[in-house]
Structures are given as C-alpha cells and as structure tokens.
Amino acid sequence: MSKEKIILGIDPGTQIMGYGIIEVQGKSFKMIDLGSIKFKLADTPILRLKQIFESSSEIIEKFLPDEMAVEAPFFGKNVQSMLKLGRAQGVVMAAALSKNIPVEEYSPRKIKQSITGKGSASKEQVYAMLERSFGHKIETRYLDASDALAVALCHHYQASNPVLGGTKAKNWEQFLRANPDRKA
C-alpha cells in the first residue's frame, strides 16, 4: 500500500485566498479541511502580500502538507489583475518552498478538465463534481475554497496517473501492476 500523504491546494488571490487539504492513501482520498481567508482591502498591496505569506505559512504549519499545488494565474483582458495574482501565487509558493515542500502549478483549464472532464466547466460545476467525488456536501462560504480543493484533487489525479504525468511505466505490464483497476 502506498504511503499516506497530505496535499495542500491553494487558489491564490489578493482579496480572497482559498485553501483545501486532502489526505491521500494509495488511490483513495478524503477531504481534511477547506476554507478561505479574506484580506483587508484597506491595506496596501504590499501589506496584503505579507498577509498572504503569513496565512500560507500558518496553514502549512497546521496541516504539515507533503506537497502543495497552486492554481496558476489566468490571463484575461486585465494585465494588472494577472500581475497581482502572479505576485500572490509567488508569495504562496515561497511559503511552501521555505519549508521544503514541493510545489506544482496547474492552469484553471487543467484543473477543471481533471475534475469535471471539461476544461470550460463553471465554478459551480466543479463544486458539484467535488461533492460527488468526496461523497458528501462541501460547506464553504466562497467558491475560492472549493476551487482550492479542486487544485489539490487535480494534483492527486495528475501525480497518481502514469499517463497524465505521474510515475511513467516502462512497459504495459508495469502499468497494469501499478493500475490494477485499469485491467479489462
């Protein structure tokens, strides 16, 4: 049986940051926690980056994740928004890397594709599929928290599937040994 690991997913933001923590044992997983942190808009953008770093560090110290996954900034029409999100993402990554926690990033499209099978899925569709995947209602005030949970689950799916980017099988027999549920 595979070693247990804790994965922290983060949906970085300068106003609201979502986080989701899952525990993985082999191919099974369960939700440990999720939440969102709302930052003071009255603070300067630099002070919010400090709050993001401190909040990320507190989450890391509380849950001691083995790995962290972060949603990459989405390039839209507003370049300033993307720059702010990129800074928030960098601060979150720095908090993890300062504790020697490996970090992966995933595009919003990759996360949605991984969770729902559709890269253009809405936040509500992702939320509904998360409830189905975890087998229970997910209570959260902001969708940033469920988005972060989706980031963590996406990371688990990507890391555990040899075809999608996990450990590569050298041949078909090795792939089937690593994935007994995939046998016809």
Side-chain angles (χ1 to χ4, degrees):
M1 188 128 212
S2 298
K3 177 189 173 287
E4 174 187 306
K5 68 179 170 180
I6 305 294
I7 300 172
L8 167 61
I10 298 276
D11 180 13
T14 56
Q15 294 180 14
I16 300 174
M17 179 179 80
Y19 67 91
I21 296 101
I22 65 172
E23 180 183 301
V24 176
Q25 180 74 41
K27 290 189 179 191
S28 64
F29 53 86
K30 66 180 180 178
M31 182 181 78
I32 301 298
D33 195 18
L34 83 159
S36 52
I37 300 166
K38 193 167 184 174
F39 301 108
K40 298 174 193 165
L41 296 179
D43 285 341
T44 67
I46 301 300
L47 286 178
R48 274 191 256 150
L49 291 176
K50 180 180 183 235
Q51 290 175 8
I52 292 167
F53 183 85
E54 290 171 348
S55 297
S56 300
S57 296
E58 287 172 14
I59 293 166
I60 289 167
E61 289 172 21
K62 179 177 180 181
F63 293 102
L64 303 172
D66 298 292
E67 300 171 6
M68 185 171 88
V70 180
E71 183 173 336
F74 172 76
F75 180 71
K77 293 180 181 178
N78 188 335
V79 175
Q80 285 299 320
S81 292
M82 191 180 94
L83 286 171
K84 288 176 185 175
L85 284 174
R87 288 176 182 155
Q89 181 197 35
V91 169
V92 166
M93 294 169 109
L97 293 171
S98 72
K99 302 288 186 186
N100 296 315
I101 297 168
V103 178
E104 291 289 334
E105 71 174 348
Y106 298 96
S107 71
R109 185 168 188 80
K110 173 62 112 181
I111 296 163
K112 292 173 184 179
Q113 174 75 36
S114 181
I115 302 303
T116 69
K118 185 177 174 186
S120 60
S122 69
K123 287 179 175 277
E124 292 78 13
Q125 288 170 318
V126 171
Y127 181 86
M129 188 57 83
L130 286 171
E131 287 190 332
R132 189 171 178 193
S133 297
F134 285 99
H136 58 80
K137 182 117 176 88
I138 296 173
E139 299 290 336
T140 180
R141 183 172 177 192
Y142 300 104
L143 289 176
D144 302 82
S146 56
D147 285 353
L149 189 62
V151 175
L153 189 55
C154 170
H155 179 68
H156 165 61
Y157 287 158
Q158 299 301 307
S160 66
N161 188 332
V163 175
L164 295 176
T167 306
K168 303 280 188 225
K170 292 183 177 146
N171 56 48
W172 184 244
E173 289 155 1
Q174 187 181 16
F175 175 83
L176 289 176
R177 274 195 305 274
N179 299 278
D181 58 316
R182 301 290 294 269
K183 292 180 183 177

XYZ file of all heavy atoms in Angstrom, residues 11 30 38 47 60 74 79 81-82 91 94-95 100 105 120 142-143 148 155 157 160 180:
174
model
N -5.849 28.378 -4.015
C -6.354 29.270 -5.052
C -5.950 30.668 -4.594
O -6.616 31.273 -3.765
C -7.868 29.140 -5.182
C -8.448 30.052 -6.252
O -7.682 30.612 -7.057
O -9.680 30.218 -6.278
N -9.464 11.683 0.898
C -10.543 12.285 1.666
C -10.185 13.732 1.971
O -9.002 14.097 2.037
C -10.830 11.514 2.952
C -9.718 11.545 3.970
C -10.096 10.759 5.218
C -8.975 10.797 6.239
N -9.322 10.085 7.455
N -10.084 36.076 3.846
C -10.375 37.361 3.222
C -9.396 38.383 3.775
O -9.261 38.529 4.986
C -11.822 37.761 3.505
C -12.294 38.901 2.665
C -13.791 39.068 2.736
C -14.174 40.173 1.781
N -15.580 40.347 1.654
N 1.290 45.101 1.839
C 0.895 44.510 3.130
C 0.016 43.273 2.931
O 0.096 42.329 3.713
C 0.179 45.544 3.997
C 1.082 46.611 4.621
C 0.258 47.616 5.419
C 2.146 45.973 5.503
N 0.356 25.858 6.410
C 1.407 24.843 6.259
C 1.808 24.287 7.623
O 1.931 23.075 7.800
C 2.617 25.431 5.497
C 2.242 25.647 4.026
C 3.851 24.542 5.638
C 3.214 26.505 3.245
N -4.683 33.270 -14.330
C -5.399 33.191 -15.604
C -5.191 34.497 -16.361
O -5.382 35.573 -15.810
C -6.888 32.968 -15.343
C -7.730 33.055 -16.579
C -7.751 32.013 -17.481
C -8.496 34.180 -16.831
C -8.533 32.092 -18.622
C -9.273 34.265 -17.967
C -9.294 33.223 -18.874
N -4.311 43.051 -17.526
C -2.938 42.663 -17.225
C -2.594 42.951 -15.765
O -1.885 42.168 -15.120
C -1.949 43.383 -18.174
C -0.517 43.080 -17.809
C -2.223 42.982 -19.609
N -4.518 42.783 -13.144
C -5.069 41.707 -12.309
C -4.179 40.478 -12.362
O -3.927 39.828 -11.341
C -6.476 41.332 -12.770
O -7.360 42.384 -12.505
N -3.705 40.139 -13.552
C -2.840 38.975 -13.686
C -1.529 39.180 -12.928
O -1.032 38.257 -12.281
C -2.552 38.678 -15.151
C -1.879 37.319 -15.326
S -1.519 36.948 -17.014
C 0.150 37.520 -17.102
N 4.158 34.452 -3.668
C 4.287 34.504 -2.204
C 3.851 33.177 -1.586
O 4.511 32.653 -0.681
C 3.478 35.694 -1.644
C 3.360 35.618 -0.136
C 4.124 37.009 -2.046
N 6.550 30.684 -2.249
C 7.711 30.947 -1.392
C 7.486 30.403 0.020
O 8.408 29.857 0.636
C 8.011 32.442 -1.353
N 6.261 30.522 0.527
C 5.947 29.996 1.863
C 6.166 28.484 1.896
O 6.737 27.954 2.855
C 4.512 30.353 2.251
N 10.542 23.555 2.417
C 10.963 22.415 1.593
C 9.801 21.543 1.124
O 9.930 20.334 1.010
C 12.008 21.569 2.320
C 13.284 22.343 2.556
O 13.774 23.017 1.652
N 13.796 22.287 3.775
N 2.132 23.745 -10.172
C 1.064 24.670 -10.525
C 0.269 24.095 -11.689
O 0.799 23.361 -12.519
C 1.596 26.060 -10.844
C 2.345 26.174 -12.141
C 2.737 27.609 -12.477
O 2.254 28.558 -11.846
O 3.540 27.760 -13.401
N -13.783 23.864 -19.754
C -14.526 25.124 -19.694
C -15.655 25.081 -18.666
O -16.551 25.920 -18.692
C -15.100 25.451 -21.083
O -15.981 24.423 -21.497
N -17.178 30.774 0.250
C -16.674 31.273 -1.021
C -16.248 30.113 -1.923
O -15.703 29.121 -1.434
C -15.458 32.186 -0.800
C -15.746 33.401 0.047
C -15.326 33.468 1.368
C -16.443 34.485 -0.474
C -15.584 34.589 2.144
C -16.711 35.607 0.301
C -16.282 35.647 1.607
O -16.546 36.751 2.369
N -16.448 30.264 -3.220
C -16.025 29.240 -4.165
C -14.505 29.154 -4.282
O -13.983 28.183 -4.810
C -16.661 29.479 -5.539
C -18.166 29.197 -5.622
C -18.711 29.566 -6.992
C -18.482 27.752 -5.283
N -9.777 25.686 -4.472
C -8.515 25.211 -3.903
C -8.563 23.703 -3.655
O -7.570 22.999 -3.883
C -8.211 25.951 -2.608
N -4.079 17.747 -8.472
C -2.683 17.341 -8.261
C -2.605 15.843 -7.961
O -1.740 15.143 -8.499
C -2.065 18.160 -7.132
C -0.652 17.770 -6.843
N 0.383 18.002 -7.727
C -0.101 17.148 -5.775
C 1.513 17.538 -7.206
N 1.239 17.022 -6.028
N -4.738 13.524 -8.889
C -5.036 12.812 -10.137
C -3.833 12.825 -11.082
O -3.486 11.809 -11.676
C -6.236 13.431 -10.847
C -7.576 13.171 -10.209
C -8.645 14.024 -10.469
C -7.802 12.093 -9.364
C -9.899 13.802 -9.906
C -9.044 11.870 -8.787
C -10.091 12.722 -9.067
O -11.330 12.510 -8.513
N -0.895 10.645 -9.645
C -1.142 9.214 -9.485
C -1.424 8.500 -10.794
O -1.531 7.280 -10.813
C -2.306 8.982 -8.513
O -3.511 9.481 -9.070
N -4.136 -1.702 -11.154
C -4.918 -2.937 -11.303
C -6.390 -2.670 -11.680
O -7.029 -3.522 -12.288
C -4.820 -3.610 -9.926
C -4.403 -2.512 -8.993
C -3.630 -1.525 -9.817
